[in-house]
Amino acid sequence: MPTLVIIGALWGDEAKGKLVDVLASDADYVVRYSGGNNAGHTVQAAGHTFKFHLIPSGVLHKNVTAVLGAGMVVCPKAFLDELETTKQKSPELGRILISSAAHVVFPYHRTLDALEEENRGEGKIGTTSRGIGPAYQDKVARVGIRMCEFVDPERFRARLCEVVEYKNRVLDMHGKPGISIEPIIEEYSAYADKLRPFVCDADFEVNRAIHAGKRVIFEGAQGAMLDLDLGTYPFVTSSHPTAGGACLVGLPPKKVDNVLGVCVAYTTRVGSGPFPTELSGEFADRLRIAGNEFGTSTGRPRRVGWLDLVALRHSCLMNGFTSLAVTRVDVLSGFGSIKACVGYKIGDEVTTEFPADTALLSRAEPQFETLEGWDGDLSACKSTNELPSGARGLIEFIERYTGVPVSLVSVGPNREETIVRDRGLLI
Ligand code: IMP
């Protein structure tokens, strides 16, 4: 199938990076379409661990054009650092393009991110402090600086002066020191010189490629439940990590062939916000360590909990997944029987519908089904039949509850530790 959108089905960190890397061997383009370096995608290949924050995970394949698309907010320094560390481990990369319509993240966005979190007090979102929210605020307020302006020295200076004058009025209101323009111009002009060769109307090229029948993967960042409109507002990111997000920046809806929703065999979340199946205490600590559940971008310990099928089914509905990938199935080995949430008790009522009201969700008591667990090392399993019956049972339970087939099962962090159940549902 020519186009595949891959997204995190719940709150992010579902190991999309590994799957994009695996599937990119069959792709011509891999396109990121939302977020910035708040994302963290880990790929283990050729004896190295790669951590991608901005560059699409398919870049390790020489045949792939990796696109930082419109819809993204790009920190130039983070991009250049990431490119450098990636090249040190893998000198031959695919072609990289940056959309001229992507927005640039500046130091003042990070300052404002910290300031806004401080002002939220108890209600803080637990952002990644990368300036993502403030960069998107500028975009929506129509004062953001786009890549096409950034790489044009005259326009960059003029736009930055305009924006900084406004930002300084805001900082002054908070009693904070203002921003000096010249140091930013000096540092960022050097970045602009290095970025210029990558910047083009990449979204147009991707669209032409789609129409020419090329195989294109759209790589979502974060997870669908962090979507600005469909997620657990206000504990969300500032963009659209849903399948529809890819359409907002140039994938024509009628050209979407497959949509892969990636979920972990349990659930994780970073930052604040309701998490009905969250676990605590020693069991949670053991699971966090077994799954190495520490943020790729920030190193923060991730919150962990049982698989939330109510949230997953909601995500299936919103994103129209044509199949699911279940990752980190190996991590649950040796944990005894496992649980999956099949309903929420809110007040006196039990519902299987995910409420849009975050206040209701925070009162939801999970109703669990207990499933058979399993032991042993799963990393060598090449088909579902080779999995222990408990792990097979979990996959089948997910399929029955959501009504969506599971096309991929990940049983370890390496490329090879992947069971492909139905290639026809992928790319
Ligand atoms: P922001 O995207 O930095 O504004 O953070 C908003 C919320 O999204 C916070 O709860 C973050 O922890 C969460 N978040 C942002 N990016 C990711 C990600 O890549 N994985 C998981 N959570 C994320």
Side-chain angles (χ1 to χ4, degrees), residues 401-416:
Y401 190 93
T402 61
V404 178
V406 172
S407 59
L408 285 171
V409 179
S410 175
V411 288
N414 294 301
R415 277 177 180 167
E416 304 71 38

Side-chain angles (χ1 to χ4, degrees), residues 11-13 38-40 113 125-130 132-133 221-222 226 235-238 269-272 300:
W11 285 282
D13 305 316
N38 49 349
D113 201 350
I125 295 169
T127 72
T128 55
S129 326
R130 300 286 148 89
I132 305 300
Q222 291 85 45
L226 288 172
F235 304 103
V236 291
T237 192
S238 306
R269 178 163 199 170
V270 196
S272 320
R300 288 183 290 179

Side-chain angles (χ1 to χ4, degrees), residues 329-383:
V329 176
D330 52 304
V331 171
L332 288 179
S333 275
F335 274 85
S337 57
I338 59 165
K339 291 185 183 180
C341 170
V342 292
Y344 295 153
K345 185 160 186 265
I346 305 176
D348 294 332
E349 304 223 337
V350 173
T351 177
T352 55
E353 287 183 8
F354 189 86
D357 183 347
T358 308
L360 282 182
L361 185 65
S362 58
R363 298 212 308 270
E365 295 168 33
Q367 309 296 297
F368 287 117
E369 188 104 6
T370 302
L371 306 174
E372 179 195 343
W374 59 89
D375 295 309
D377 180 4
L378 311 190
S379 60
C381 295
K382 292 286 169 239
S383 74

